Amino acid sequence: MIRRSFATLAAASVLAAALPLTAAAESVQSIASSSMSGAVTAVPPVATPAATPTATPEADDIDPVRRAEYWLEDYGIYDAWEVTRGEGVRIAIIDTGIGRGPAEFEGAVVAGTDVSGLGTPDGRTPVGAVDADHGSWVGSLAAARGTSAEEGMVGVAPEAELLSVSVGFGAAAQKPFTEQIAEAIRWSVDNGADVINMSLTTNEATWDQSWDDAFMYAFDNDVVVVVAAGNRGSGTTRVGAPATIPGVLTVGGVDPNGVASVDASTQGITIGVSAPSERLIGVSADGRLVQWDGTSGAAPIVAGIAALVRSAHPDLDANSVINRIIQTAEPAAAATADPDPLYGYGLVDAGAAVTASIPAVQSNPMGSLSDWIRLYRRADSAPVPVQTQEPVVVPALPPVDDVTTVASPLLPSYSTLIYGSVPLMLCTASAILVALGVTAAVRRIRSARSSPSR
C-alpha cells in the first residue's frame, strides 16, 4: 500500500539548510526535442542561496537528504529493500552522461560510451550547453550510492550497476539524433544492460524506421526499456516517441500527493504507470544537489524498481517484469479509466512489485513492436513465405531420346521420287511422244488424200 508523506515541504526546507552545497530551486523538464532531428529545449538549473531552516530534524536524526526523498517510503521502496537493493542488475542511462566526480556514483558506474562525438569514450563527460547535468540527475535517482550508509542521496536500486551513455542534442551533435539513439540502445544491450532508461522525447508520435531494429534488438535480448512520457511545461501536450513505441514502459508523473502533475507530466494512451515527477532530488555532475521536476525523474524511479524486480526474480523475463510493475500499481483516485491517459495502470508500488505473487506472462502488456512493424511497415517489404510442411522429393525424369527432324509432307522424299514422281514423268513423256507421233501420221495421211492426182 502506498503511503503518502505529509512532511515533504518541511523535509525539503531542512535539506536546503543542512547541505554545505547550494540547493537549487529546479524546474528542469524532461529533454524535449521539437522534431526527430533532436533539437532540444530545456530550462537550466537556477542556483539560489541556502534557505533559512523552517524545520528541525526529527529525534532519530534521519539524514535530511534521505527525508527529502519522499518516494522511498511513499512508494514502497523501503519495503522492497528488505528483499533486495538491485544487486546483479545493470541499468543503462541513455542521456547526457553521468559525471565522474560525485561520491554518490562511486562504484555505481561500471562502463560507458559516447555516441554523440562530443563527449569522452567512457561516457562520463556530460555533453550539452544547458542540460549537461541531466544525465547525472537521472542516474542518481536510479542508483546513487549515497555518501555513506545512512547519508547522502540514494537511488531506488543503490546496489545496481549503471552504464553511462552520453547523447548529444541539437545542432552541436556530430550525427543525427536518431542514429545516436539506435547506436546507444545496441551498445547498452551488448554491454549487459538489463534495464534501459530513456528520459527524453521527440514530441512526435512517429519515429524513424531505424528505431524499429534498435528497439527490437533490446526486446529480443530481454531488456526492459523505460521511457519518460514528457511534460506539458516544456510544450509536450501528448506523449511522443519513444514513449509511443509498443513494448516500452512509459512513465507519467504525479505530484507528492499522487495527483497527475500539471506541468511535469503529459497524457496519452501509452502511459503504463505513474511515479513522482515533482520536488525530486538530483546529484549534478559537479556534486551539487538540486531539486527538480519532470517525468525525466519519474522514469528512473521506475527503472530502479524494474532493477529491484529483476534482482529479486532473476528467472523472470522482461515481459513479466513489466507485468509485475503494472499489476501491482495502485489505482489513482482520480483515474477515470484502466489504463488511464494520465496515470496509466496506476501509481507504482515497489514493495508489491517485488513481493506480490504475480503469474508470469508470455507477451508484453505494453504491446508488441514486432506486430506493429508487420502491420505498418509491410508496404516497405514483401512478406516472407513460411514453410508449412516438408518439401516433396520428385524423382528425376528419364533421359529424352534423340529427336528426329520430320520433313514437310509437301516436299518430295527419296521414296516418292523413285517410286512415284520419276515413273510418272516417264509415262507422261512416253504418252506425249506417242500422241505427237500419231498426230503427225494422221496429218500426212490427210495431206496425201487431199493432193490432186495427175
Side-chain angles (χ1 to χ4, degrees):
M1 187 71 176
I2 296 176
R3 298 177 291 277
R4 295 284 160 239
S5 171
F6 296 99
T8 304
L9 287 175
S13 297
V14 172
L15 167 66
L19 294 175
L21 302 174
T22 300
E26 184 50 48
S27 61
V28 173
Q29 309 302 325
S30 70
I31 298 175
S33 62
S34 59
S35 68
M36 293 295 287
S37 64
V40 179
T41 58
V43 181
V46 180
T48 58
T52 302
T54 58
T56 57
E58 297 175 359
D60 55 2
D61 293 329
I62 296 177
D63 177 53
V65 178
R66 299 288 174 89
R67 193 181 307 121
E69 295 182 72
Y70 62 91
W71 51 92
L72 298 180
E73 181 177 358
D74 291 356
Y75 287 82
I77 295 167
Y78 282 140
D79 295 335
W81 284 357
E82 295 179 4
V83 178
T84 178
R85 292 194 173 205
E87 59 274 14
V89 179
R90 187 166 287 188
I91 307 172
I93 305 297
I94 299 178
D95 213 287
T96 60
I98 300 173
R100 293 191 188 91
E104 290 87 345
F105 294 128
E106 188 68 32
V109 183
V110 296
T113 191
D114 173 70
V115 297
S116 69
L118 302 173
T120 51
D122 63 357
R124 300 298 301 276
T125 300
V127 299
V130 297
D131 47 31
D133 286 320
H134 192 272
S136 299
W137 298 337
V138 170
S140 62
L141 281 165
R145 298 289 199 259
T147 54
S148 69
E150 302 296 334
E151 296 180 338
M153 182 180 179
V154 64
V156 172
E159 293 184 10
E161 297 177 338
L162 292 175
L163 299 175
S164 176
V165 185
S166 55
V167 177
F169 300 87
Q174 297 182 3
K175 65 176 69 172
F177 176 69
T178 53
E179 291 183 16
Q180 293 184 62
I181 295 301
E183 181 181 344
I185 292 173
R186 289 184 174 277
W187 184 93
S188 299
V189 174
D190 291 342
N191 285 270
D194 303 293
V195 181
I196 292 176
N197 184 90
M198 302 176 68
S199 292
L200 50 89
T201 181
T202 62
N203 285 343
E204 295 287 343
T206 58
W207 58 91
D208 189 83
Q209 190 166 340
S210 66
W211 285 12
D212 292 354
D213 292 338
F215 279 85
M216 279 303 306
Y217 188 66
F219 298 148
D220 289 342
N221 283 277
D222 196 37
V223 178
V224 176
V225 181
V226 180
V227 302
N231 313 303
R232 279 181 286 266
S234 61
T236 302
T237 57
R238 293 184 179 276
V239 293
T244 53
I245 296 177
V248 305
L249 181 54
T250 300
V251 183
V254 295
D255 66 18
N257 295 315
V259 178
S261 179
V262 175
D263 291 324
S265 188
T266 186
Q267 61 182 359
I269 60 174
T270 62
I271 293 178
V273 291
S274 295
S277 64
E278 293 187 15
R279 298 170 190 166
L280 303 175
I281 306 299
V283 178
S284 299
D286 60 1
R288 292 179 306 117
L289 291 181
V290 300
Q291 186 180 91
W292 63 303
D293 301 334
T295 53
S296 279
I301 289 176
V302 175
I305 294 174
L308 296 177
V309 174
R310 302 214 81 162
S311 178
H313 305 277
D315 56 322
L316 290 182
D317 62 11
N319 294 339
S320 294
V321 171
I322 293 175
N323 185 62
R324 288 182 74 90
I325 295 173
I326 287 174
Q327 294 298 324
T328 57
E330 181 176 306
T336 58
D338 187 29
D340 185 82
L342 288 175
Y343 300 96
Y345 290 93
L347 311 183
V348 288
D349 186 340
V354 167
T355 62
S357 177
I358 305 293
V361 294
Q362 299 299 317
S363 59
N364 191 324
M366 296 307 298
S368 170
L369 178 57
S370 60
D371 288 347
W372 187 93
I373 293 172
R374 185 167 56 254
L375 288 173
Y376 296 101
R377 303 290 194 200
R378 66 177 182 267
D380 299 328
S381 61
V384 178
V386 178
Q387 182 174 300
T388 58
Q389 61 183 10
E390 292 297 323
V392 177
V393 178
V394 179
L397 295 174
V400 180
D401 295 334
D402 293 337
V403 179
T404 301
T405 304
V406 179
S408 172
L410 301 177
L411 298 176
S413 65
Y414 177 79
S415 298
T416 58
L417 287 174
I418 297 298
Y419 300 108
S421 299
V422 171
L424 179 61
M425 292 173 64
L426 291 175
C427 292
T428 302
S430 300
I432 292 172
L433 291 175
V434 171
L436 291 175
V438 172
T439 302
V442 171
R443 286 180 178 180
R444 280 196 295 270
I445 292 172
R446 289 180 178 176
S447 175
R449 288 178 181 179
S450 61
S451 298
S453 58
R454 295 184 181 258

